[in-house]
Amino acid sequence: MIHSLFLINSAGDIFLEKHWKSVISRSVCDYFFEAQEKASTPENVPPVISTPHHYLINIYRDKIFFVSVIQTEVPPLFVIEFLHRVAEMFQDYFGECSEASIKDNVVIVYELLEEMLDNGFPLATESNILKELIKPPTVLRSVVNTITGSTNVGETLPTGQLSTVPWRRTGVKYTNNEAYFDVVEEIDAIIDKSGTTVIAEIQGVIDACVKLSGMPDLTLSFVNPRLMDDLSFHPCVRFKRWEAERVLSFIPPDGNFRLVSYHVNAQNLVAIPVYVKQNISFFESGFSGRLDITVEPKQTMGKIVEGVVVTVHMPKVVLSANLTPTQGTYNYDPVTKVLAWDIGKLNQQKPPNLKGSLSLQSGAPKPEENPSLNIDLKIQQLAISGLKVNRLDMFGEKYKPFKGVKYLTKAGKFQVRT
Amino acid sequence: MSSSSAFNDDKGGSSSIGEPEYGHDPASGGIFSSDYKRHDDLKEMLDSNKDSLKLEAMKRIVAMIARGKNASDLFPAVVKNVACKNIEVKKLVYVYLVRYAEEQQDLALLSISTFQRGLKDPNQLIRASALRVLSSIRVTIIVPIMMLAIREAASDMSPYVRKTAAHAIPKLYSLDPDQKDQLIEVIEKLLADKTTLVAGSVVMAFEEVCPERIDLIHKNYRKLCNLLIDVEEWGQVVIINMLTRYARTQFLNPNANESLLEEGTEKAFYGSDEDEGKEEKVEAAALVAKRKPYVMDPDHRLLLRNTKPLLQSRNAAVVMAVAQLYFHLAPKAEVGVIAKALVRLMRSHSEVQYVVLQNVATMSIKRRGMFEPYLKSFYIRSTDPTQIKVLKLEVLTNLANETNISTILREFQTYIKSMDKDFVAATIQAIGRCATSIGEVRDTCLNGLVQLLSNRDELVVAESVVVIKKLLQMQPERHSDIIKHMAKLTDNIQVPMARASILWLIGEYCEHIPKIAPDVLRKMAKSFTNEEDIVKLQVLNLAAKLYLTNSKQTKLLTQYVLNLAKYDQNYDIRDRARFIRQLIVPTDKSGALSKYAKKLFLALKPAPVLESPFKDRDHFQLGSLSHLLNAKAGGYQELPDWPEVAPDPSVRNVEVPEWTKCSSREKRKEKKVEKPFYSDSEGESGPTESADSDSDTGSGTGSGSEESGSESGSEESEGESESDKEEEEEKHKRKSKSRAKKSTQESEGSEPSSEDERKKPPKGKGPKAASDSESEEEEEEEESSSESSESESEGESESDTDTRMKQKTCASKPPPRQPKKETEMSLLDLDDFEPTPSPQVTPVNNFVSSSLVTDLEGLSLSDSALSPAAVSPASGPVKSYELLHRITGEGLSVSYCFSRQPFSHDPHMVSVQMQFTNNGDTEARNLRIQEPKLQSGMRIAEFPEIDVLPPGETVTMVMGIDFSDSTQAANFQLCTHTRKFFLTIQPPVGELMMPVFMTENEFKKEQGQLTGMNEITEKLTLGETCQGDAAIVQRVTSTASLSRVPCGSEMKCRFAGKTVTSGSLVLVTIVTREQLVAQLTVNCEKMLIGTMLVKDILQALSQ
């Protein structure tokens, strides 16, 4: 299926190549570079490129292009999904997925890629199994390794691959047994000029960090499970029990993983936590413009809205901005034409305001349209949908684990049109 | 494959260009400079004893590979470490090996034994990893070993090893597609596996090797459906895609009734995938009316039910796979469930969105209702990449209908203001499409578009004008006011493209605005000189059209415009003016064309059709690469149409006991016209294959020796690979020859021919002598002389041999034909009966083989089939090979044969009897061997120097070679007092062993210990000329130096031997089943030897 993989940085250098079948020359990437040139931004490079002998399927992640070469029919999503798994695995192993970290750990990367695919077909993509085979690098281990000459490759064999719960490694042991769950909800919304909601949706995920010894069998139940509408599960979740009882029953993988992601069935009754008043206008005469933005808290359920950032992609003709914020700091990057206003916490009494003038390129016609605002925000200790975890039970092990649930609401793709 | 190898060629070049750049790379730390001295450095580290140094070296090498730099020159140094104890070193060596084995095939072979050992490890994970690496080494010569290993692993206890075996199948298939039949057998076996671990991998192998063998799925269909949810996610994708195809061939279309009867014609047309033309549709409709109400096959339901939960998978590919399954297979009412899941995927990465949207776009054309509730999820954000925006727009347009059009248009209005001009252009087109499909909003859309004409952006205006033009062409009479409006716009709009488009419209529809058009022309005439060229051309067009329709008012204006154009700077415009004038203005000279001027200019132009680019894309399986590209990708399996009548569902019943399988298969065969079934095809392929694999044992003489002679002078180091190639070539030759059958008489004596057949009988009398131990000596003597004469005759022309044979046949009074066969050896033995003129031969009595005895023995057995006592330990006739041709040897010719006698000085050596003949006119002196160049482990015991060899004389000498149980050639120099010759001896595998005497019980006991990987079993069809025990024994013993094990069964022949160097047992069993069908089993600890021996014996027996 997947013949080869090339990693290409934003400068267009191929800094890693791996072949699972016969070697394919890196010159095949020229077709990719051609497509990249045509596309205005990296995001606009078509994910599937057809060349005379091969097909290139690529993803763009963390400023790296993962370009895979295939020769025959294969579902494109299969390859795309796999490439994302690879990127996630790098993230998991090295803390970040960047050119530098990949180059520093090129041997581990190679070993990982070798294990993840066999003849182009995915073999082991579960992080638990891979970590058993190849230990992730840590400062301590690399020091120890240089002294003792021991290795990163696990001496043990990946027993997980053989078991019926392939996502969990065996022989897990902790002194502190803990299980944490983060319920994170994101609001996707489009607000039009007049302040009415065009569309608003809540997407949620439950991320878990489980460090429990042995083979625990967990059951997570909710106060109001009906809120969760369209779920997708980690393979460990028993689908039948969810269907029947609306509880999440599972033997967890060891470490961090995403248990569930869901969509909230709110029928457009989504609480929008902030209200944005804005006025952006450009004038033909004098090549200038005016900008006035106010962000007010709205339905916050008594919590504090924090980490508020407003980002505006200005039209090309805007040269500079001369603004005064009543709170926070702003920054206008004249190269990317992005205005970012970092507000921080929202003040209930005195809504923050950003006001001032924009100067335009002289001679150029004034922009016809106003840029839309992208809002970022966070609300701690609140799931905006009102979802609540009822309890977590553990079976199969004797000890008493420490349990914790955290809620967080974030803005997802939250856009205000002007 | 071919393309990739083409890429390989320029590999070196491209990587070397890239090198300087990497040298400066800080991350590489300057370690990876391409300097070859550095590589020496690495070699030293690899040769050291310390694991840490080795590891460091391997890490650097892997880093080089990762950068795409060539590290192939380190191959020998790296491969040595393949058996290293340190796991990480070992793993990195594997990485290296898999990467470069293809380029360095000979050296890669050195590592094979390590993996073979691994295959027998008690730990399943080690077995699996050995198989994985072994099968990843793309070296054609180990194909038989891989095949064997896969077969073995397919019946391993551990499901993990079986999974690995399934993974190995496509690897082997891509390496050697000829193995297909055997691989299908393995796939069939693995498909029956009941573990989830194996299921995904084997279906993957099925899809790559034999996707057309849908019949293999029947029995496993229900099991696959039930296991599906527990299979790992990647396997799920493959299985679901395969089952979609399967279901399309086995079940009835659940939507056949509705789609034909309800909805508009267009819908119905899409809905039924079965029919292609309108007439057919009518027929089908009639058929449907007759058909009894549709009842879904329970297996069809099972599939739908078991895949549905997978819509909840976290893996986008799985969700997409289920979605396409539902789209292609589910009744219309149930398809809706997939919409929600697909919409959820839109939250994912932009690449996932891109693919999902493509599929949604196709689905939304056919099943619009499905996505309507999620309309808003396709609204566009300014931060979306353009390609996503355009796709969302496509979906929104497909979803537009009377009820939601107003919301959609409002959305579109905001999009039109976007900064992304490509996107705006796409939006305008989308508006145009909405306007064409929904009549109610056509005017609103038109008005909106007309406003856009004043946009500053040329792209927007051009797109608007194009769309307006298209819309107006549909019903021009109703929109004369818009045309009027556009006419007014000419005063304001400056964009030339837009002005030109407007002028075209006015010209085209000037009849609808008879008053305004001339006025526009007047204005344009006024400003003509200041207009852009494209506008000028349209002014000319307008003038011409007006002149034709309304010449009274515009005659002068037209003349004026044409005159202006006549002196324009641009020659296009001047040409156009001249052309138009000739065409429309009637003059005396005006040609025939001017009559048709009106038809030419005012022809009715067809309205352009605005339709989705995704229309009809659903004939590709959704979610596939082909669908995305809208072009068939390599290896794409067409989604079949629903069958008219469902095939028998009982084929999926699994209760049928094993032994009735055949009959049920036959049934199936009758029903569907399919390819020949496996058992059949195997029967056919078995013998051909063994014919290909033909050993060089049989070939040796004519062409073979010549090649070796000429080659020996050249490249010694490459002896292995060279001879491989030769082997290959010969294989091909052989194939064609064996097809040509009798026409090949003139070829080497090894070819069975009618001549040989007739010769056999004279021996018929001999057999009794075989049991008679006294007569043996004499016979042997005769035999030995026959050997020498034989070696001479080799050199002679074939015609010579032929004539001799004829003589013989006459002399020996051929009795009537018998079905019994024998090999070429017996042919040569016939020389015994004729005085051989070679008195110079010094018979080396010790080495006289008892081959004749064996021959006789074989024949005796044919008479008295069971005479265990008669078995002689040493057996097999002797064939001679040319080592040095007399022309190359300047008069000196050397031939050799394997005498099959123990080498007296060293029992681990194979004795090679060499015969030196001086055909020249000067004497040769000081014949001796020098500078043997041997593979590791090989040894040579030289023969004593021959002082003088006078002209015309022949001397026989014996030397010993320890081939170290490999068929690698031994290379050495033969020196005379004047010259040196480079010579090569390559042993046939059968000569690497010596006979061992064994009883039947001992044999069985030993065989019991050599099962598993050490056992190779092949079915074969005996050749026409090879029937009966005698013939079999004869052929086997002539192929390999084995002795027959006495046994009590008529149908079984057993042979035993051991390899000369290591003394590993070689056990051969041949069981004759019925006429011509037999089974060959070879047990040998050395798998390579075993495999090659199987080939040779198959070859010998099937001739």
Side-chain angles (χ1 to χ4, degrees), chain B residues 804-813 827 830-831 834:
Chain B
R804 234 199 290 164
M805 288 193 310
K806 270 170 205 154
Q807 287 170 5
K808 264 171 260 161
T809 35
C810 299
S812 56
K813 294 172 207 156
L827 176 163
L830 287 173
D831 290 8
E834 222 178 30

Side-chain angles (χ1 to χ4, degrees), chain B residues 122-135:
Chain B
N123 186 321
Q124 49 179 338
L125 293 155
I126 294 180
R127 287 202 300 277
S129 94
L131 177 60
R132 205 183 140 196
V133 182
L134 180 70
S135 57

Side-chain angles (χ1 to χ4, degrees), chain A residues 15 31 44 60 189 191 195 205 216 236 264 278 311 338 376 388 407:
Chain A
F15 64 94
Y31 294 103
N44 269 323
Y60 180 67
I191 314 286
V205 295
C236 69
V264 174
Q278 43 72 32
T311 336
V338 173
D376 203 9
K388 261 204 143 55
Y407 298 93

